[in-house]
């Protein structure tokens, strides 16, 4: 096995220095911190929706209220979708504040495409913002996976109903 290839790889520090020099952007840390805060806030919001769903669903199932689980799940899904839309709007405002694009609608479309990782548009970014799509997509992918996990647990309660709650209390 030839390990000489490993000797040609740059160190992590030199790679970092090269990327920062290529971007020429000291504002990137604002976006990195915003990404971390957005993911933490998303996790708390989705956890709140899931907790509320489980409490309300348990309350209604214990009282044999017909269709309560469906209504609770429908509301939870819509709240989670709303959370994602709010995050796209927040990314739009971040990009507007950083003057990434000349127009606000263009900024909103860009933020939505990157967050959902659709990548439909042909966006020409200034060189200092080349990393922005990676950061926005990163938060979108992780936010959607957190939401999916929460919705999965809610669906389990929705399908399991009273039987799941009675075995969980044993």
């Amino acid at each position: 096995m030839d390990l000489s290839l490993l000797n040609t790889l740059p160190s992590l520090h030199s790679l970092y220095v090269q990327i920062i020099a290529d971007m020429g952007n000291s504002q990137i840390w604002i976006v990195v911190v915003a990404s971390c805060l957005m993911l933490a806030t998303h996790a708390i919001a989705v956890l709140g929706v899931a907790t509320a769903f489980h409490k309300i669903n348990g309350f209604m199932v214990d009282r044999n209220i017909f269709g309560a689980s469906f209504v609770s799940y429908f509301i939870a899904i819509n709240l989670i979708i709303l959370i994602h839309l709010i995050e796209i709007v927040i990314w739009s405002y971040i990009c507007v504040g950083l003057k990434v694009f000349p127009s606000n609608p263009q900024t909103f479309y860009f933020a939505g495409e990157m967050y959902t990782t659709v990548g439909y548009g042909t966006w020409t970014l200034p060189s200092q913002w080349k990393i922005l799509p990676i950061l926005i997509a990163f938060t979108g992918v992780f936010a959607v996976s957190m939401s999916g996990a929460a919705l999965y647990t809610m669906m389990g309660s929705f399908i399991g109903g009273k039987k799941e709650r009675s075995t969980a209390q044993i």
Side-chain angles (χ1 to χ4, degrees):
M1 183 155 141
D2 184 21
L3 297 177
S4 62
L5 176 65
L6 294 176
N7 294 331
T8 62
L9 296 176
S11 69
L12 187 57
H13 176 69
S14 66
L15 182 62
Y16 170 77
V17 169
Q18 290 171 2
I19 291 170
I20 294 299
D22 182 56
M23 288 188 318
N25 189 356
S26 61
Q27 293 177 316
I28 198 64
W29 292 108
I30 294 169
V31 180
V32 171
V33 169
S35 299
C36 294
L37 290 174
M38 197 172 303
L39 281 173
T41 304
H42 180 86
I44 292 167
V46 169
L47 184 61
V49 170
T51 301
F53 167 81
H54 287 295
K55 287 184 180 187
I56 292 168
N57 186 53
F59 176 81
M60 292 200 270
V61 166
D62 288 345
R63 282 152 186 77
N64 294 319
I65 299 172
F66 180 73
S69 294
F70 175 77
V71 171
S72 301
Y73 192 68
F74 181 76
I75 291 170
I77 288 172
N78 284 299
L79 287 173
I80 289 175
I81 289 170
L82 180 63
I83 291 167
H84 286 285
L85 291 174
I86 289 169
E87 289 172 10
I88 291 170
V89 169
I90 290 170
W91 271 119
S92 298
Y93 277 112
I94 290 170
C95 292
V96 165
L98 295 171
K99 296 178 178 46
V100 177
F101 291 105
S103 74
N104 294 344
Q106 185 180 17
T107 305
F108 176 75
Y109 300 140
F110 168 78
E113 285 182 30
M114 294 306 117
Y115 184 86
T116 59
T117 68
V118 171
Y120 171 72
T122 54
W123 306 105
T124 305
L125 292 168
S127 63
Q128 75 263 23
W129 294 116
K130 285 181 188 175
I131 199 163
L132 192 58
I134 296 169
L135 294 172
I136 295 174
F138 182 81
T139 60
V141 165
F142 277 95
V144 168
S145 65
M146 280 188 262
S147 298
L151 289 169
Y152 181 78
T153 64
M154 288 184 252
M155 180 60 81
S157 293
F158 174 56
I159 293 171
K162 201 169 206 164
K163 180 178 76 173
E164 183 178 298
R165 289 184 44 76
S166 64
T167 57
Q169 294 172 350
I170 293 177

